[in-house]
């Protein structure tokens, strides 16, 4: 199967001499939602900008739907919609005009039916005659998505689509993105909200200091790197973990009233049975217990920290 986006040996050094991308290799599968995670300045926007033809690569090759983004720029670009990180809209235009105009920029013939569908799908239809400056921030963001979809792209890049958007609207946006995927559009999004990646992505890529440090199925990532924690609520608080339990690397929490045991879900043995036996032998009684799977956020933080 041909990948919808294929990035090979891509590097970028800005004119300032700063190297923002180092030998990036990445393939995006047709129809997937791919989330690119990384701290501020990791190179996410740079990577997207190169794929969309806004920034020139220093080295490497990028194909969009099989078309080289440099030698076949128009063919490549026409397949791509981009919702940029920075909000930029023409304040005095109406929603309808600005979205229709975007389509024209790609040399596509007018298609009011398509524009209407996009505006309806994004719940902007009743605002079609409103000037952009009269819209709320969330509506403006949806206008940007409408513009990006105006020319019927197969690939949609969303650079921080929900930055500064409230929780409710964020959930609405997730619905919009999922619905788009249902129509066959491939979606690549960057986000700082790990929950967003956890909720939406089929695969996750992590970029740090210009290097892709990991690409993995989300479910696999959570299974492989995910650790579980067993928390025991003690009947009486401890001021230290007894020496005979040192091997379990227990942590005391909640002012000594909880013992936390971390274990690997992949391990052959979790060690829980032995732990409970040894706790009993040490005379430590507990009144309740819970287990918790580490979140993608914890996985991400520890991954990026390892690279520092
Ligand atoms: N035009 C430019 N000239 C020089 N350096 C740049 C330029 N654009 C970006 N950079 C640098 O490249 C690095 C990567 O920036 P980029 O915008 O790609 O990061 P990002 O991962 O999108 O970050 P954020 O999460 O903050 O959006 C940063 O150190 C940035 O300062
Ligand atoms: Mg960015």
């Amino acid at each position: 199967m041909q990948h919808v986006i294929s990035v090979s040996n891509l590097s970028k050094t800005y004119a300032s001499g700063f190297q923002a991308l180092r030998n990036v290799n990445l393939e995006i599968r047709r129809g997937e939602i791919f989330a690119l995670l990384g701290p501020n300045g990791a190179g996410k926007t740079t990577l997207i900008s190169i794929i969309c033809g806004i920034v020139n690569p220093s080295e490497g090759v990028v194909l969009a739907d099989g078309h080289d983004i440099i030698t076949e720029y128009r063919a490549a670009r026409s397949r791509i919609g981009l919702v940029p990180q920075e909000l930029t809209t023409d304040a005095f235009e109406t929603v309808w005009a600005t979205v229709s105009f975007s389509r024209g920029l790609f040399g596509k013939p007018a298609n009011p039916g398509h524009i209407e569908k996009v505006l309806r799908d994004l719940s902007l239809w009743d605002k079609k005659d409103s000037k952009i400056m009269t819209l709320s921030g969330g509506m403006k963001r949806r206008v940007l998505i409408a513009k990006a979809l105006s020319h019927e792209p197969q690939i949609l890049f969303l650079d921080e689509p929900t930055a500064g958007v409230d929780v409710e609207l964020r959930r609405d946006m997730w619905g919009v993105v999922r619905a788009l995927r249902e129509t066959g559009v491939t979606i690549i999004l960057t986000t700082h909200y790990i929950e967003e990646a956890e909720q939406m992505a089929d695969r996750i890529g992590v970029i740090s200091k210009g290097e892709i440090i990991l690409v993995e199925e989300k479910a696999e990532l959570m299974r492989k790197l995910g650790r579980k924690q067993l928390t025991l609520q003690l009947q009486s608080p401890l001021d230290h973990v007894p020496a005979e339990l040192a091997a379990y690397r227990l942590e005391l929490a909640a002012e000594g009233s909880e013992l936390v045991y971390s274990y690997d879900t992949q391990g052959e043995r979790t060690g829980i049975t032995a732990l409970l036996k040894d706790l009993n032998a040490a005379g430590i009684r507990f009144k309740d217990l819970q287990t918790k799977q580490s979140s993608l956020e914890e996985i991400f933080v520890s991954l990026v920290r390892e690279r520092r």
Side-chain angles (χ1 to χ4, degrees), residues 14-16 18 20 38-47 85 159-160 192:
Y14 280 108
S16 62
F18 183 83
N40 285 132
K44 302 179 296 294
T45 299
T46 301
L47 177 58
Q85 184 169 10
D159 197 357
E160 307 277 344
H192 284 120

Side-chain angles (χ1 to χ4, degrees), residues 32-35 158 161-162 170-179 181 187 189 191 193-204 218 296:
E32 73 175 338
I33 298 182
F34 186 91
L158 295 156
T162 59
R170 191 173 306 154
R171 286 175 197 279
D172 284 355
M173 301 266 298
W174 294 349
V176 167
V177 171
R178 285 200 192 97
R181 195 259 295 269
I187 291 154
L189 59 94
T191 182
Y193 299 104
I194 312 275
E195 191 198 351
E196 193 153 273
E198 206 166 340
Q199 290 281 330
M200 305 265 296
D202 300 307
R203 285 197 308 152
I204 289 177
K218 178 185 64 190
L296 185 58

